[in-house]
Amino acid sequence: MSNHITITGRLAMDPELRFAATGTAMCTVVVPDQKSKKNEATGQWEEQSATTWFRATVFKEKAEALAAIAKKGDTVTVSGRLITREWTNKDGEVKSSLEVDFATVAVVPREVRAERSQGQPAVDPWATTAQPTAAAWGQPV
């Protein structure tokens, strides 16, 4: 039986980078999942379910790279093994959280629009024809 999950969503907060006593980098991200639907009458988005929060931690060089490039609101895809962690809070209540163990996190690039001068067509760098600088194949230079 396989226990593998892939989640795509927006980061709820900036990635948290910390280091273990051994010097190993650890970066934790939090991705919420909630179903919502647009109300056609009001044009507003309405929540259809409770929010499920997923935490994922990556290690070493990948942790440092993730912390350097990702920020709150970025879309990420998290993949790994789903586990439930339990702990007791300071009030003595048992709490639990869903975590993605052995996680791989990929940042989905944001859409970037090319800037154009107003009234000017976009320049296609591949449309220009380069002049040959050497003789054709088989011809002495």
mmCIF file of all heavy atoms in Angstrom, residues 72-100:
data_model
loop_
_atom_site.group_PDB
_atom_site.id
_atom_site.type_symbol
_atom_site.label_atom_id
_atom_site.label_comp_id
_atom_site.label_asym_id
_atom_site.label_seq_id
_atom_site.Cartn_x
_atom_site.Cartn_y
_atom_site.Cartn_z
ATOM 1 N N LYS A 72 5.397 34.068 1.001
ATOM 2 C CA LYS A 72 3.966 33.953 1.246
ATOM 3 C C LYS A 72 3.196 34.301 -0.032
ATOM 4 O O LYS A 72 3.497 35.286 -0.703
ATOM 5 C CB LYS A 72 3.548 34.902 2.371
ATOM 6 C CG LYS A 72 2.068 34.885 2.669
ATOM 7 C CD LYS A 72 1.719 35.862 3.774
ATOM 8 C CE LYS A 72 0.215 35.878 4.004
ATOM 9 N NZ LYS A 72 -0.137 36.765 5.109
ATOM 10 N N GLY A 73 2.201 33.456 -0.358
ATOM 11 C CA GLY A 73 1.373 33.703 -1.530
ATOM 12 C C GLY A 73 1.839 32.988 -2.779
ATOM 13 O O GLY A 73 1.089 32.851 -3.733
ATOM 14 N N ASP A 74 3.100 32.517 -2.799
ATOM 15 C CA ASP A 74 3.600 31.774 -3.956
ATOM 16 C C ASP A 74 2.870 30.437 -4.062
ATOM 17 O O ASP A 74 2.554 29.804 -3.053
ATOM 18 C CB ASP A 74 5.097 31.502 -3.838
ATOM 19 C CG ASP A 74 5.948 32.715 -4.147
ATOM 20 O OD1 ASP A 74 5.404 33.714 -4.653
ATOM 21 O OD2 ASP A 74 7.163 32.661 -3.879
ATOM 22 N N THR A 75 2.633 30.001 -5.283
ATOM 23 C CA THR A 75 2.030 28.695 -5.501
ATOM 24 C C THR A 75 3.132 27.648 -5.481
ATOM 25 O O THR A 75 4.169 27.815 -6.114
ATOM 26 C CB THR A 75 1.299 28.647 -6.855
ATOM 27 O OG1 THR A 75 0.283 29.653 -6.851
ATOM 28 C CG2 THR A 75 0.651 27.289 -7.088
ATOM 29 N N VAL A 76 2.902 26.574 -4.705
ATOM 30 C CA VAL A 76 3.866 25.488 -4.602
ATOM 31 C C VAL A 76 3.154 24.156 -4.816
ATOM 32 O O VAL A 76 1.946 24.042 -4.632
ATOM 33 C CB VAL A 76 4.574 25.467 -3.231
ATOM 34 C CG1 VAL A 76 5.429 26.701 -3.030
ATOM 35 C CG2 VAL A 76 3.587 25.307 -2.094
ATOM 36 N N THR A 77 3.932 23.169 -5.206
ATOM 37 C CA THR A 77 3.452 21.794 -5.261
ATOM 38 C C THR A 77 4.295 21.004 -4.271
ATOM 39 O O THR A 77 5.519 20.993 -4.356
ATOM 40 C CB THR A 77 3.582 21.209 -6.672
ATOM 41 O OG1 THR A 77 2.770 21.980 -7.559
ATOM 42 C CG2 THR A 77 3.122 19.763 -6.719
ATOM 43 N N VAL A 78 3.614 20.379 -3.311
ATOM 44 C CA VAL A 78 4.268 19.607 -2.265
ATOM 45 C C VAL A 78 3.926 18.136 -2.486
ATOM 46 O O VAL A 78 2.764 17.792 -2.692
ATOM 47 C CB VAL A 78 3.782 20.055 -0.861
ATOM 48 C CG1 VAL A 78 4.423 19.217 0.229
ATOM 49 C CG2 VAL A 78 4.050 21.524 -0.643
ATOM 50 N N SER A 79 4.929 17.296 -2.419
ATOM 51 C CA SER A 79 4.722 15.878 -2.635
ATOM 52 C C SER A 79 5.496 15.091 -1.586
ATOM 53 O O SER A 79 6.611 15.466 -1.229
ATOM 54 C CB SER A 79 5.197 15.504 -4.041
ATOM 55 O OG SER A 79 4.933 14.176 -4.319
ATOM 56 N N GLY A 80 4.905 14.005 -1.084
ATOM 57 C CA GLY A 80 5.579 13.175 -0.094
ATOM 58 C C GLY A 80 4.617 12.225 0.581
ATOM 59 O O GLY A 80 3.500 12.002 0.117
ATOM 60 N N ARG A 81 5.042 11.698 1.714
ATOM 61 C CA ARG A 81 4.258 10.730 2.477
ATOM 62 C C ARG A 81 3.458 11.470 3.548
ATOM 63 O O ARG A 81 4.017 12.263 4.311
ATOM 64 C CB ARG A 81 5.204 9.720 3.129
ATOM 65 C CG ARG A 81 4.524 8.556 3.793
ATOM 66 C CD ARG A 81 5.574 7.575 4.287
ATOM 67 N NE ARG A 81 6.376 8.195 5.337
ATOM 68 C CZ ARG A 81 6.343 7.816 6.608
ATOM 69 N NH1 ARG A 81 5.599 6.808 6.991
ATOM 70 N NH2 ARG A 81 7.079 8.436 7.498
ATOM 71 N N LEU A 82 2.152 11.235 3.617
ATOM 72 C CA LEU A 82 1.281 11.920 4.575
ATOM 73 C C LEU A 82 1.344 11.228 5.936
ATOM 74 O O LEU A 82 1.177 10.005 6.027
ATOM 75 C CB LEU A 82 -0.161 11.938 4.071
ATOM 76 C CG LEU A 82 -1.157 12.742 4.906
ATOM 77 C CD1 LEU A 82 -0.779 14.215 4.920
ATOM 78 C CD2 LEU A 82 -2.557 12.558 4.362
ATOM 79 N N ILE A 83 1.602 12.022 6.985
ATOM 80 C CA ILE A 83 1.621 11.499 8.347
ATOM 81 C C ILE A 83 0.827 12.429 9.258
ATOM 82 O O ILE A 83 0.568 13.585 8.917
ATOM 83 C CB ILE A 83 3.056 11.335 8.897
ATOM 84 C CG1 ILE A 83 3.780 12.682 8.944
ATOM 85 C CG2 ILE A 83 3.841 10.324 8.076
ATOM 86 C CD1 ILE A 83 5.113 12.630 9.671
ATOM 87 N N THR A 84 0.426 11.915 10.420
ATOM 88 C CA THR A 84 -0.253 12.717 11.434
ATOM 89 C C THR A 84 0.663 12.805 12.641
ATOM 90 O O THR A 84 1.131 11.791 13.148
ATOM 91 C CB THR A 84 -1.586 12.078 11.852
ATOM 92 O OG1 THR A 84 -2.402 11.915 10.697
ATOM 93 C CG2 THR A 84 -2.319 12.945 12.863
ATOM 94 N N ARG A 85 0.947 14.014 13.084
ATOM 95 C CA ARG A 85 1.761 14.215 14.286
ATOM 96 C C ARG A 85 0.829 14.654 15.414
ATOM 97 O O ARG A 85 -0.066 15.468 15.210
ATOM 98 C CB ARG A 85 2.804 15.301 14.051
ATOM 99 C CG ARG A 85 3.868 14.898 13.080
ATOM 100 C CD ARG A 85 5.217 15.422 13.542
ATOM 101 N NE ARG A 85 6.188 15.308 12.478
ATOM 102 C CZ ARG A 85 6.997 14.276 12.334
ATOM 103 N NH1 ARG A 85 6.938 13.285 13.190
ATOM 104 N NH2 ARG A 85 7.870 14.227 11.351
ATOM 105 N N GLU A 86 1.065 14.092 16.603
ATOM 106 C CA GLU A 86 0.274 14.470 17.773
ATOM 107 C C GLU A 86 1.188 15.051 18.839
ATOM 108 O O GLU A 86 2.338 14.645 18.977
ATOM 109 C CB GLU A 86 -0.475 13.253 18.325
ATOM 110 C CG GLU A 86 -1.573 12.763 17.421
ATOM 111 C CD GLU A 86 -2.424 11.688 18.063
ATOM 112 O OE1 GLU A 86 -2.066 11.189 19.153
ATOM 113 O OE2 GLU A 86 -3.455 11.339 17.466
ATOM 114 N N TRP A 87 0.653 16.010 19.598
ATOM 115 C CA TRP A 87 1.390 16.602 20.698
ATOM 116 C C TRP A 87 0.387 17.099 21.730
ATOM 117 O O TRP A 87 -0.812 17.204 21.458
ATOM 118 C CB TRP A 87 2.288 17.737 20.202
ATOM 119 C CG TRP A 87 1.557 18.988 19.810
ATOM 120 C CD1 TRP A 87 1.294 20.077 20.590
ATOM 121 C CD2 TRP A 87 0.960 19.267 18.534
ATOM 122 N NE1 TRP A 87 0.586 21.010 19.882
ATOM 123 C CE2 TRP A 87 0.366 20.534 18.616
ATOM 124 C CE3 TRP A 87 0.864 18.565 17.339
ATOM 125 C CZ2 TRP A 87 -0.311 21.116 17.551
ATOM 126 C CZ3 TRP A 87 0.196 19.144 16.289
ATOM 127 C CH2 TRP A 87 -0.381 20.406 16.390
ATOM 128 N N THR A 88 0.881 17.403 22.908
ATOM 129 C CA THR A 88 0.044 17.937 23.983
ATOM 130 C C THR A 88 0.431 19.391 24.188
ATOM 131 O O THR A 88 1.608 19.702 24.393
ATOM 132 C CB THR A 88 0.261 17.135 25.286
ATOM 133 O OG1 THR A 88 0.002 15.758 25.021
ATOM 134 C CG2 THR A 88 -0.672 17.629 26.385
ATOM 135 N N ASN A 89 -0.571 20.283 24.114
ATOM 136 C CA ASN A 89 -0.264 21.702 24.277
ATOM 137 C C ASN A 89 -0.123 22.047 25.754
ATOM 138 O O ASN A 89 -0.275 21.190 26.631
ATOM 139 C CB ASN A 89 -1.306 22.578 23.565
ATOM 140 C CG ASN A 89 -2.673 22.550 24.219
ATOM 141 O OD1 ASN A 89 -2.863 22.006 25.306
ATOM 142 N ND2 ASN A 89 -3.648 23.133 23.557
ATOM 143 N N LYS A 90 0.151 23.316 26.043
ATOM 144 C CA LYS A 90 0.401 23.727 27.433
ATOM 145 C C LYS A 90 -0.824 23.602 28.326
ATOM 146 O O LYS A 90 -0.709 23.567 29.546
ATOM 147 C CB LYS A 90 0.957 25.149 27.469
ATOM 148 C CG LYS A 90 0.032 26.189 26.887
ATOM 149 C CD LYS A 90 0.688 27.551 26.877
ATOM 150 C CE LYS A 90 -0.224 28.539 26.180
ATOM 151 N NZ LYS A 90 0.413 29.845 26.029
ATOM 152 N N ASP A 91 -2.036 23.514 27.730
ATOM 153 C CA ASP A 91 -3.259 23.335 28.502
ATOM 154 C C ASP A 91 -3.609 21.866 28.701
ATOM 155 O O ASP A 91 -4.659 21.543 29.247
ATOM 156 C CB ASP A 91 -4.432 24.043 27.815
ATOM 157 C CG ASP A 91 -4.221 25.548 27.723
ATOM 158 O OD1 ASP A 91 -3.563 26.105 28.630
ATOM 159 O OD2 ASP A 91 -4.690 26.155 26.743
ATOM 160 N N GLY A 92 -2.740 20.965 28.229
ATOM 161 C CA GLY A 92 -2.965 19.535 28.398
ATOM 162 C C GLY A 92 -3.848 18.900 27.331
ATOM 163 O O GLY A 92 -4.196 17.734 27.436
ATOM 164 N N GLU A 93 -4.210 19.668 26.293
ATOM 165 C CA GLU A 93 -5.036 19.137 25.213
ATOM 166 C C GLU A 93 -4.168 18.450 24.172
ATOM 167 O O GLU A 93 -3.105 18.953 23.822
ATOM 168 C CB GLU A 93 -5.824 20.262 24.533
ATOM 169 C CG GLU A 93 -6.767 21.009 25.452
ATOM 170 C CD GLU A 93 -7.363 22.227 24.771
ATOM 171 O OE1 GLU A 93 -6.608 22.970 24.111
ATOM 172 O OE2 GLU A 93 -8.579 22.412 24.898
ATOM 173 N N VAL A 94 -4.646 17.295 23.698
ATOM 174 C CA VAL A 94 -3.925 16.582 22.647
ATOM 175 C C VAL A 94 -4.321 17.200 21.314
ATOM 176 O O VAL A 94 -5.499 17.314 20.987
ATOM 177 C CB VAL A 94 -4.244 15.077 22.664
ATOM 178 C CG1 VAL A 94 -3.559 14.366 21.504
ATOM 179 C CG2 VAL A 94 -3.818 14.460 23.986
ATOM 180 N N LYS A 95 -3.332 17.620 20.548
ATOM 181 C CA LYS A 95 -3.543 18.244 19.242
ATOM 182 C C LYS A 95 -2.880 17.375 18.185
ATOM 183 O O LYS A 95 -1.999 16.572 18.479
ATOM 184 C CB LYS A 95 -2.947 19.657 19.197
ATOM 185 C CG LYS A 95 -3.558 20.623 20.176
ATOM 186 C CD LYS A 95 -4.928 21.024 19.728
ATOM 187 C CE LYS A 95 -5.492 22.100 20.632
ATOM 188 N NZ LYS A 95 -6.753 22.612 20.126
ATOM 189 N N SER A 96 -3.293 17.572 16.933
ATOM 190 C CA SER A 96 -2.664 16.835 15.840
ATOM 191 C C SER A 96 -2.559 17.726 14.613
ATOM 192 O O SER A 96 -3.287 18.714 14.482
ATOM 193 C CB SER A 96 -3.462 15.575 15.497
ATOM 194 O OG SER A 96 -4.726 15.908 14.998
ATOM 195 N N SER A 97 -1.629 17.373 13.729
ATOM 196 C CA SER A 97 -1.471 18.111 12.485
ATOM 197 C C SER A 97 -1.104 17.133 11.379
ATOM 198 O O SER A 97 -0.523 16.075 11.631
ATOM 199 C CB SER A 97 -0.397 19.188 12.607
ATOM 200 O OG SER A 97 0.872 18.601 12.755
ATOM 201 N N LEU A 98 -1.478 17.493 10.152
ATOM 202 C CA LEU A 98 -1.111 16.704 8.985
ATOM 203 C C LEU A 98 0.205 17.241 8.446
ATOM 204 O O LEU A 98 0.354 18.445 8.252
ATOM 205 C CB LEU A 98 -2.190 16.795 7.910
ATOM 206 C CG LEU A 98 -3.508 16.123 8.243
ATOM 207 C CD1 LEU A 98 -4.547 16.438 7.167
ATOM 208 C CD2 LEU A 98 -3.326 14.625 8.365
ATOM 209 N N GLU A 99 1.148 16.355 8.228
ATOM 210 C CA GLU A 99 2.444 16.762 7.707
ATOM 211 C C GLU A 99 2.820 15.877 6.533
ATOM 212 O O GLU A 99 2.412 14.727 6.452
ATOM 213 C CB GLU A 99 3.510 16.690 8.796
ATOM 214 C CG GLU A 99 3.256 17.678 9.908
ATOM 215 C CD GLU A 99 4.405 17.792 10.883
ATOM 216 O OE1 GLU A 99 5.538 17.373 10.538
ATOM 217 O OE2 GLU A 99 4.186 18.304 11.978
ATOM 218 N N VAL A 100 3.593 16.461 5.636
ATOM 219 C CA VAL A 100 4.109 15.718 4.501
ATOM 220 C C VAL A 100 5.558 15.388 4.828
ATOM 221 O O VAL A 100 6.401 16.279 4.930
ATOM 222 C CB VAL A 100 3.987 16.515 3.190
ATOM 223 C CG1 VAL A 100 4.486 15.685 2.027
ATOM 224 C CG2 VAL A 100 2.537 16.929 2.966
#
